[in-house]
């Protein structure tokens, strides 16, 4: 199948959010307009709609940004994706694993977020070194939680290990530790159940 080309194709993750109704009105309007005039992007969108498996592939490949709103998570579940969820209490720890047929690992961090304007997430290795920092992540202050999904291929490759996350409130005056969370990961053993 040949597709018309597009000078600035809409990223797959954005199309997915559009389809799931996750974009705000202004973004949605811009996409509507682009899709009307662009055979390439509307064909890509159609393929997402046609084949639920492509949604799964996009999620597995990490095309979806890694910090999600709860509404987005619920829409993914409604589309038939198999989600495994863990909730870490504030400054607490959880034991986690991931099964071969899980499509997505959803991690919820309980956090006091009142008054927080910008939030960063750090991922730390066992020795305490910062491996990754996600800046200005979306969060729901009223719900008091940050929802995100680690890359599945990364999680599946992990041996038994400990991963820590830190939430940092960033303000013009400096940054402040909001919470710290420890995940004790073990590879999946058949018979563990869900
Ligand atoms: Zn396009």
């Amino acid at each position: 199948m040949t597709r018309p080309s597009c000078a600035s194709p809409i990223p797959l993750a954005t199309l997915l959010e559009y389809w799931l109704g996750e974009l705000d009105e202004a973004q949605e309007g811009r996409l509507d307009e682009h899709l009307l005039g662009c055979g390439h992007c509307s064909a890509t969108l159609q393929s997402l709609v046609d084949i639920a498996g492509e949604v799964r592939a996009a999620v597995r490949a990490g095309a979806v940004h890694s910090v999600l709103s709860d509404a987005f998570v619920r829409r993914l579940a409604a589309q038939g994706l198999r989600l495994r969820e863990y909730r870490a209490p504030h400054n607490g720890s959880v034991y986690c694993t991931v099964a071969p047929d899980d499509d997505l690992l959803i991690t919820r961090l309980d956090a006091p977020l009142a008054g927080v304007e910008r939030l960063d997430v750090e991922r730390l290795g066992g020795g305490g070194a910062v491996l990754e920092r996600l800046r200005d992540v979306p969060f729901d202050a009223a719900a008091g939680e940050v929802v995100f999904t680690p890359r599945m291929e990364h999680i599946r490759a992990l041996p038994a290990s400990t991963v820590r996350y830190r939430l940092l409130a960033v303000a013009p005056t400096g940054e402040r530790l909001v919470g710290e969370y420890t995940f004790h990961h073990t590879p999946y053993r058949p018979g563990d159940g869900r």
Side-chain angles (χ1 to χ4, degrees), residues 5-10 34-35 38-42:
S5 63
C6 171
S8 53
I10 298 165
H34 182 107
L35 289 166
C38 179
H40 174 86
C41 294
S42 49

Side-chain angles (χ1 to χ4, degrees), residues 78-185:
Q79 295 301 324
L81 266 75
R82 281 180 294 259
L83 311 181
R84 177 181 293 268
E85 295 199 27
Y86 291 102
R87 174 181 290 280
H90 187 222
N91 292 329
S93 64
V94 291
Y95 290 84
C96 58
T97 189
V98 61
D101 64 349
D102 290 339
D103 289 312
L104 206 57
L105 191 62
I106 305 294
T107 304
R108 297 170 185 272
L109 308 178
D110 280 342
L113 295 166
V116 174
E117 280 175 20
R118 188 190 122 182
L119 193 69
D120 288 6
V121 182
E122 280 183 343
R123 180 166 65 88
L124 294 87
V130 176
L131 303 177
E132 185 181 16
R133 181 161 178 151
L134 302 169
R135 288 163 206 283
D136 201 7
V137 302
F139 61 91
D140 185 342
E145 68 174 9
V146 176
V147 185
F148 70 101
T149 174
R151 300 282 289 262
M152 287 303 266
E153 75 269 29
H154 172 75
I155 298 294
R156 287 184 202 285
L158 272 185
S161 53
T162 297
V163 181
R164 276 162 54 215
Y165 292 98
R166 269 208 306 235
L167 296 181
L168 297 155
V170 182
T173 49
E175 60 184 43
R176 163 177 77 81
L177 182 64
V178 172
E180 206 163 5
Y181 307 85
T182 305
F183 286 80
H184 301 289
H185 176 81

